[in-house]
């Protein structure tokens, strides 16, 4: 079989959630952000594992993703939708009991008119300038809105992965200014914010990437292994080139393995001539360009031809691979394509 295998360690994801939960006080609830198909790992199995670990609140980007979480978990857990209440979402929000995080006056009006009495939260813009109600608008609508009983006031930090960045403190101040005295539950931090310390924790945290083994949570357990089967090997003479554009030329006779995965599977083309794959503990350089479905690897130094080579695993985290490709762990994770066979590891419960 030429299908690559993505092994997802659900126990590691559960352990990462518990560790992040322990970084905050006993009164601080830890939610789980499972947008983008649980960062590419599969929303159904991941949401169930997190619910089993103790997560009671889940965040997704779009209402459709919320529907998948509701289907996986059934009634009970709260599912918050970060894009808020968009036209066309009303029925789904109502029928599946989703909680939109309203981002604008338009959304606030839409929600209160379409679904009076239905749960909602409000996302405030404290300086990221991406999503959320801004200060002046908030000052205008806060008195009415607070009356309507939002379940959560939340905001998002733009530079939480840089602890020294002055915007963190500035956003914290703005968030306090906008929410002090409301008496409502508050949330400011994703993974990076949790690590900034207690002043950033408020009532609820929203970790995503840290659950899946990604930076900036250095204490995270890696959660994925990606093994690519070797389809073919060939001997290449000194002076011969490998792959599109002849970007790699053998300096000496070499044995090249062609493995099954490429940029169509989320392995960026910027990994060309820049990444390493692993045969157990032995690194093997990726040579030539990453093509759509295939990668070529120099295995001259291996004692025998392996059945597969690992590109993610204990020796290479998503962040290490991301660095080789000039991107971030989030992009590697969420890019992991639909063609992989997803295999879930979980201790019997
Ligand atoms: C994606 C996202 C999160 C999770 O962020 P991580 O950095 O992955 O922990 C939390 N809150 C909001 C608003 C988000 O968009």
């Amino acid at each position: 079989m030429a299908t690559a295998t993505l092994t997802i360690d659900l126990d590691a994801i559960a352990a990462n959630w518990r560790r992040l939960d322990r970084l905050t006080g006993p009164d601080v609830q830890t939610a789980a952000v499972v947008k983008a198909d649980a960062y590419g790992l599969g929303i159904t199995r991941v949401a169930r594992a997190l619910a089993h670990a103790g997560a009671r609140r889940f965040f997704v980007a779009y209402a459709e993703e919320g529907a998948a979480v509701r289907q996986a978990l059934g009634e009970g857990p709260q599912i918050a939708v970060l894009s808020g209440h968009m036209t066309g979402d009303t029925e789904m929000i109502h029928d599946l009991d989703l909680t939109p995080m309203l981002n604008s006056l338009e959304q606030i009006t839409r929600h209160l008119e379409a679904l009076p009495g239905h749960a909602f939260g409000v996302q405030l813009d404290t300086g990221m300038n991406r999503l959320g109600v801004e200060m002046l608008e908030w000052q205008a609508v806060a008195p009415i809105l607070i009356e309507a009983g939002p379940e959560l006031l939340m905001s998002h930090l733009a530079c939480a992965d840089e602890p020294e960045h002055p915007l963190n403190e500035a956003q914290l101040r703005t968030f306090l200014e906008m929410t002090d005295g409301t008496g409502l539950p508050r949330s400011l931090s994703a993974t990076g914010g949790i690590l900034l310390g207690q002043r950033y924790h408020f009532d609820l945290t929203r970790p995503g990437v840290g659950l899946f083994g990604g930076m900036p949570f250095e204490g995270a357990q890696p959660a994925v292994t990606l093994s690519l089967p070797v389809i073919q090997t060939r001997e290449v003479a000194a002076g011969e080139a490998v792959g599109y554009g002849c970007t790699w030329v053998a300096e000496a006779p070499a044995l090249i393995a062609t493995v099954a995965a490429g940029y169509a599977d989320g392995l960026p083309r910027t990994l060309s001539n820049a990444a390493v794959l692993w045969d157990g503990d032995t690194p093997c350089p990726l040579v030539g360009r990453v093509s759509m479905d295939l990668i070529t690897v120099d295995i001259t130094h291996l004692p025998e031809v392996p059945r597969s080579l690992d590109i993610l695993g204990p020796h290479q985290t998503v962040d290490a691979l991301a660095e080789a490709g000039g991107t971030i762990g989030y992009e590697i994770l969420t890019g992991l394509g639909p063609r992989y066979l997803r295999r879930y590891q979980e201790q019997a419960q």
Side-chain angles (χ1 to χ4, degrees):
M1 193 170 73
T3 305
T5 304
L6 180 67
T7 304
I8 295 146
D9 185 344
L10 294 172
D11 295 327
I13 294 171
N16 290 334
W17 184 85
R18 284 191 211 100
R19 263 189 225 188
L20 286 162
D21 186 45
R22 281 198 297 272
L23 290 178
T24 61
D27 297 335
V28 181
Q29 206 182 7
T30 303
V33 180
V34 291
K35 58 193 180 188
D37 198 28
Y39 289 53
L41 302 185
I43 201 160
T44 302
R45 296 296 302 268
V46 168
R48 283 185 189 153
L50 287 165
H52 193 265
R56 292 290 165 265
R57 289 172 87 149
F58 294 81
F59 284 78
V60 292
Y62 309 122
E64 289 76 7
E65 296 178 338
V69 178
R70 182 62 76 210
Q71 181 142 28
L73 300 182
E75 283 175 29
Q78 191 199 69
I79 301 167
V81 179
L82 292 165
S83 60
H85 190 148
M86 298 290 289
T87 0
D89 285 350
T90 303
E91 206 167 277
M92 206 181 283
I93 288 171
H94 173 264
D95 293 353
L96 299 174
D97 190 18
L98 308 179
T99 308
M101 298 292 120
L102 306 177
N103 289 301
S104 63
L105 299 187
E106 188 190 357
Q107 289 198 349
I108 289 167
T109 310
R110 179 180 300 131
H111 185 75
L112 296 180
E113 283 179 359
L115 296 174
H118 186 99
F120 69 97
V122 181
Q123 179 153 211
L124 303 170
D125 189 342
T126 52
M128 186 170 184
N129 290 313
R130 187 180 68 167
L131 266 186
V133 178
E134 293 190 31
M135 179 72 92
L136 283 177
E137 298 171 323
W138 177 241
Q139 284 168 344
V141 297
I144 309 160
L145 252 195
I146 290 168
E147 211 64 354
E151 303 212 337
L152 189 69
L153 300 181
M154 62 165 283
S155 188
H156 194 52
L157 298 168
C159 302
D161 57 342
E162 295 175 58
E164 304 305 322
H165 201 291
L167 190 59
N168 293 322
E169 280 289 331
Q171 285 196 264
L172 176 61
R173 273 198 307 274
T174 306
F175 190 58
L176 288 168
E177 201 181 320
M178 292 172 92
T179 60
D180 267 349
T182 59
L184 294 168
R186 299 186 278 189
S187 175
L188 179 60
S189 288
T191 304
I194 295 173
L195 306 171
L196 293 179
Q198 195 247 328
R199 289 184 308 138
Y200 288 82
H201 295 166
F202 294 93
D203 302 294
L204 177 89
T205 61
R206 312 182 308 269
V209 78
L211 305 173
F212 308 113
M215 293 291 277
F217 182 32
E218 301 205 18
Q221 282 185 38
V224 288
T225 305
L226 179 56
S227 293
L228 312 180
V230 174
I231 301 179
Q232 194 182 19
T233 56
R234 63 173 24 72
E235 288 175 12
V236 172
E240 283 192 295
V242 171
Y244 283 124
C246 303
T247 61
W248 185 82
V249 177
E251 283 175 8
L255 184 65
I256 302 298
T258 303
V259 304
Y263 60 77
D265 304 295
L267 300 175
R269 204 160 155 280
T270 47
L271 294 173
S272 300
N273 289 307
V276 165
L277 284 79
W278 294 81
D279 173 37
D281 298 330
T282 310
C284 307
L286 190 166
V287 296
R289 285 213 181 128
V290 173
S291 48
M292 189 185 294
D293 320 295
L294 298 167
I295 285 175
T296 36
V297 185
D298 185 353
I299 58 162
T300 314
H301 54 299
L302 297 184
E304 54 188 276
V305 175
R307 290 171 57 137
S308 62
L309 292 164
D310 292 347
I311 194 160
L312 291 172
H315 292 297
Q316 186 153 267
T317 62
V318 288
D319 292 285
L321 185 64
E323 188 159 343
T327 179
I328 55 173
Y330 295 76
E331 192 171 58
I332 295 290
L333 273 173
T334 56
L336 293 170
R339 288 200 289 195
Y340 300 128
L341 174 70
R342 279 165 171 69
R343 187 170 281 162
Y344 292 92
Q345 273 177 345
E346 189 171 32
Q347 293 205 333
Q349 291 169 359

